[in-house]
Amino acid sequence: DAKTTQPPSMDCAEGRAANLPCNHSTISGNEYVYWYRQIHSQGPQYIIHGLKNNETNEMASLIITEDRKSSTLILPHATLRDTAVYYCIVRGVYNFNKFYFGSGTKLNVKP
Amino acid sequence: EPEVTQTPSHQVTQMGQEVILRCVPISNHLYFYWYRQILGQKVEFLVSFYNNEISEKSEIFDDQFSVERPDGSNFTLKIRSTKLEDSAMYFCASGGTGSRSTEAFFGQGTRLTVV
């Protein structure tokens, strides 16, 4: 699975959009981009995933660049409860084995 | 909404003792996983399990560890002789209902403390 690069931390004001970037320049055509988050020491929580089209669900939007080398997770109206470590993970479409959790981005939502 | 449940939430054990951590995956999922997270460190993959056998394991998953799906619903992680360095949060996850990769859902974890 391709490696990902994320900034170690970001700040966001409560109520504003949080845009979390991820670089995955070595991604191959049959690899998905997944986003998870971990709030404090709770279990990682699935947020969203996509292959090449932009995706939106009740939690977030995922924007994948046309060349698929980077993506952005958007939390449209961040709340204090969105403070967490956010992980961008690339995994093959037919790979059911591990999700590799790197260091992620610590998002601090401030009042 | 279906969820992965883990028991116990916290287990304290003496060094050298055996522990069994239990998980009930989401019912129609086919793939099962164990991860661990030592305090302040990354979430680390231990093992994945499919069709009643291990499909992948990490270097951490040595002979002291084993997994089992004894009754078609529970998924267990056994540590035969615990060491102090096994103290961590252990997360179970399940995912995959068909032929294409899908998201995995994690339980809330078991905090294992070895004393």
Side-chain angles (χ1 to χ4, degrees):
Chain A
D1 297 330
K3 297 286 187 196
T4 63
T5 304
Q6 300 178 252
S9 66
M10 293 182 64
D11 291 338
C12 178
E14 189 178 19
R16 305 298 288 265
N19 297 282
L20 294 101
C22 179
N23 181 285
H24 32 79
S25 57
T26 60
I27 194 170
S28 64
N30 64 350
E31 290 182 317
Y32 279 107
V33 179
Y34 289 82
W35 283 83
Y36 279 79
R37 72 180 182 184
Q38 188 177 30
I39 297 172
H40 196 46
S41 293
Q42 296 178 24
Q45 179 187 22
Y46 166 77
I47 301 173
I48 199 166
H49 74 283
L51 187 60
K52 53 184 176 183
N53 297 320
N54 297 338
E55 302 287 345
T56 295
N57 63 20
E58 65 278 3
M59 288 182 70
S61 295
L62 173 60
I63 308 298
I64 302 175
T65 57
E66 194 168 336
D67 63 8
R68 302 185 71 241
K69 294 184 177 183
S70 65
S71 60
T72 302
L73 179 75
I74 301 173
L75 308 179
H77 305 287
T79 70
L80 298 178
R81 288 176 296 181
D82 292 321
T83 292
V85 179
Y86 287 77
Y87 300 97
C88 169
I89 300 169
V90 170
R91 193 173 87 155
V93 170
Y94 297 107
N95 175 10
F96 295 94
N97 292 322
K98 64 178 179 290
F99 285 91
Y100 172 74
F101 288 86
S103 300
T105 296
K106 175 66 191 302
L107 176 68
N108 298 299
V109 180
K110 301 188 173 182
Chain B
E1 185 174 319
E3 59 181 17
V4 176
T5 57
Q6 292 186 243
T7 55
S9 57
H10 191 187
Q11 170 117 27
V12 181
T13 189
Q14 291 203 323
M15 192 169 53
Q17 294 296 303
E18 174 184 285
V19 293
I20 298 176
L21 309 183
R22 302 181 192 278
C23 169
V24 179
I26 294 172
S27 63
N28 61 340
H29 285 175
L30 302 174
Y31 297 85
F32 313 106
Y33 311 86
W34 284 101
Y35 288 75
R36 80 171 187 190
Q37 187 174 33
I38 296 170
L39 186 64
Q41 298 187 22
K42 295 179 185 178
V43 177
E44 300 176 289
F45 169 76
L46 292 178
V47 65
S48 58
F49 191 86
Y50 169 71
N51 201 25
N52 286 319
E53 61 183 25
I54 290 172
S55 51
E56 186 179 7
K57 61 183 181 180
S58 72
E59 292 177 353
I60 303 167
F61 194 88
D62 62 21
D63 292 343
Q64 292 297 313
F65 292 88
S66 62
V67 289
E68 190 172 55
R69 195 147 188 258
D71 56 12
S73 60
N74 292 288
F75 180 51
T76 62
L77 174 69
K78 182 193 292 187
I79 309 174
R80 288 191 183 80
S81 177
T82 50
K83 309 183 190 72
L84 293 176
E85 54 264 37
D86 293 326
S87 295
M89 284 290 290
Y90 287 80
F91 297 110
C92 172
S94 71
T97 56
S99 61
R100 291 175 70 86
S101 176
T102 68
E103 62 273 28
F105 296 92
F106 286 75
Q108 287 306 298
T110 292
R111 179 174 299 283
L112 178 64
T113 302
V114 182
V115 296

